[in-house]
Amino acid sequence: MAGFNVRSVLVTGASRGIGLGLAKQFLGKSNPPKWVFATCRDPEGAQAQELKTLASRHPNLMIVALEVTDPASIKAAAARVEEHLKGSGLNLLINNAGILRLNTLESETPEDMSLVYATNVTGPLLVSQAFLPLLKKAAQGSPQPGLSCSKAAIVNMSSEGGSITNPFAWQLGQVISYRCSKAALNMLTKCQSLGYGGDGILSIAVHPGWVQTDMGSSASHQVPLTVDMSVRGILNVLPTLSEKDNGAFVDWEGKVLPW
């Protein structure tokens, strides 16, 4: 991770899985961020216990309550982070929070389609809108030319399951609402790259691989990647990204994926 100097990073959905893994590895770097903001729905709940233990050992980790489907919660979280940053910007926003429902074409429901879309697409849109002023501030205050994750960036955690060209693991699970949501998230990423690139903000969609998490293991199949392997790969890829990658869809090893 040479040259990856992120002063502040915010990760949504950080109480478990990839989000928790990202927080851990950022904190474990030789040059950790001054601030790691780890968000979860209920900081006082049982699921946040490991995150709270981590925060007790790392004074630069701040746990922030954030429900990505609740605009009021998002607004409150952005205000709290802004107050904590004391005039500096946010370098890196990782929209990681997401959900999956094990539905087929025959069993998919309007309720699940709406809920998954609200969490996996509308959530990242609203969170990015709320933190945009802080991302712009980071970009404006950076001496770095061009675009990079050290300067200011939005990383949307997507999935190759949303690739229209190569719908990953279709034979193992249709998960219709999830696939549709990730295809939409990829388009959101492209739109953000077009809308925010001029402000010095890089936007990227990342497929973390098929990872051994509560979500990734829910289909009862052998899952190839550990959280540690996936996150290590992602944190090796992020420093390599620049304006040529703005709006791209890449995997945890840096390979460009088809839309």
Side-chain angles (χ1 to χ4, degrees), residues 16-37:
R16 58 180 179 169
I18 293 169
L20 180 61
L22 284 163
K24 285 180 177 177
Q25 290 202 27
F26 269 115
L27 292 167
K29 288 178 62 188
S30 59
N31 58 333
K34 181 175 180 180
W35 292 113
V36 175
F37 300 100

Side-chain angles (χ1 to χ4, degrees), residues 198-218:
D199 294 311
I201 300 167
L202 174 72
S203 300
I204 193 87
V206 175
H207 167 56
W210 191 4
V211 185
Q212 295 167 16
T213 62
D214 289 349
M215 182 191 294
S217 304
S218 60

Side-chain angles (χ1 to χ4, degrees), residues 3 7 50 56 60 91 119 131 142 180 184 186 203 206 211 241:
R7 188 175 185 276
E50 192 172 354
S56 71
N60 55 330
N91 297 112
T119 304
F131 285 94
S142 172
C180 291
N186 288 346
S203 300
V206 175
V211 185
L241 303 174

Side-chain angles (χ1 to χ4, degrees), residues 155-203:
V155 175
N156 292 322
M157 208 59 70
S158 186
S159 170
E160 196 175 4
S163 169
I164 293 169
T165 302
N166 179 31
F168 178 74
W170 171 261
Q171 69 281 6
L172 299 180
Q174 294 185 10
V175 289
I176 303 303
S177 54
Y178 180 79
R179 291 181 185 278
C180 291
S181 74
K182 293 303 185 179
L185 181 62
N186 288 346
M187 175 54 86
L188 174 62
T189 305
K190 186 67 176 179
C191 292
Q192 288 173 329
S193 74
L194 296 170
Y196 300 153
D199 294 311
I201 300 167
L202 174 72
S203 300

Side-chain angles (χ1 to χ4, degrees), residues 215-231:
M215 182 191 294
S217 304
S218 60
S220 303
H221 296 287
Q222 186 65 38
V223 181
L225 277 179
T226 64
V227 169
D228 184 67
M229 290 164 62
S230 170
V231 170

Side-chain angles (χ1 to χ4, degrees), residues 28-73:
K29 288 178 62 188
S30 59
N31 58 333
K34 181 175 180 180
W35 292 113
V36 175
F37 300 100
T39 84
C40 60
R41 281 180 286 198
D42 182 11
E44 300 306 319
Q47 281 196 338
Q49 190 55 53
E50 192 172 354
L51 192 58
K52 288 173 74 173
T53 302
L54 194 64
S56 71
R57 300 199 305 268
H58 296 276
N60 55 330
L61 173 62
M62 179 178 176
I63 303 173
V64 180
L66 174 60
E67 166 53 70
V68 301
T69 62
D70 180 356
S73 172

